[in-house]
């Protein structure tokens, strides 16, 4: 069965960095686009970044563009989210998302349990 295991969350100071990882199993990782999404308390679920199956096409939400970088290692079946210049408004539960196809615009079908990111001094 599809499993998505996030890690790397924690407490960071404003301006700091964190790297999230998502280890995938149960499907042919290199055949599917992946994304990271987040949900802050009292706010909606929003996609922050996505990457096509071959890594050649990416998406970033405007608020994170230039600060976050998504990448993937198809051999290791891991998708990463490098987060830099963190802001308190980045505080949220971050989820790894699997899409139904190779492109970042394909619908999603699975998500992980999430990893908490808290940005505070």
């Amino acid at each position: 069965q599809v499993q998505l295991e996030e890690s790397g969350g924690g407490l960071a100071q404003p301006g700091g960095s964190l790297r999230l990882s998502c280890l995938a199993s149960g499907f042919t990782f290199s055949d599917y686009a992946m994304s990271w999404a987040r949900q802050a308390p009292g706010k909606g679920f929003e996609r922050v970044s996505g990457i096509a199956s071959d890594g050649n096409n990416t998406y970033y939400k405007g608020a994170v563009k230039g600060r976050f970088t998504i990448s993937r290692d198809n051999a290791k079946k891991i998708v990463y989210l490098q987060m830099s210049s963190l802001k308190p408004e980045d505080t949220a539960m971050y989820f790894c998302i699997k899409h139904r196809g190779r492109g970042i615009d394909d619908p999603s079908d699975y998500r992980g349990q999430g990893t908490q990111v808290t940005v505070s001094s």
Side-chain angles (χ1 to χ4, degrees):
Q1 69 278 21
V2 172
Q3 290 191 324
L4 302 170
E5 184 177 350
E6 302 97 335
S7 61
L11 176 65
Q13 292 189 339
S17 298
L18 285 173
R19 187 177 80 159
L20 305 184
S21 299
C22 171
L23 176 63
S25 61
F27 63 101
T28 305
F29 183 73
S30 58
D31 284 348
Y32 297 94
M34 302 293 293
S35 285
W36 286 95
R38 69 187 180 188
Q39 187 166 29
K43 295 191 177 181
F45 194 79
E46 61 178 8
R47 185 169 71 154
V48 296
S49 186
I51 186 166
S53 60
D54 61 5
N56 286 337
N57 192 22
T58 57
Y59 159 82
Y60 295 98
K61 177 180 172 63
V64 308
K65 199 171 292 185
R67 301 189 297 119
F68 290 11
T69 302
I70 192 169
S71 61
R72 63 190 295 159
D73 185 329
N74 283 349
K76 295 182 178 179
K77 301 182 181 182
I78 299 176
V79 57
Y80 302 99
L81 186 68
Q82 177 68 49
M83 306 186 296
S84 303
S85 302
L86 284 163
K87 304 176 180 181
E89 52 263 42
D90 295 318
T91 295
M93 184 72 78
Y94 283 72
F95 298 91
C96 180
I97 305 292
K98 173 189 170 294
H99 292 262
R100 294 183 181 179
R102 296 180 180 274
I104 56 176
D105 292 329
D106 289 334
S108 61
D109 54 3
Y110 290 93
R111 76 177 194 187
Q113 294 297 309
T115 185
Q116 178 67 38
V117 171
T118 301
V119 183
S120 174
S121 55

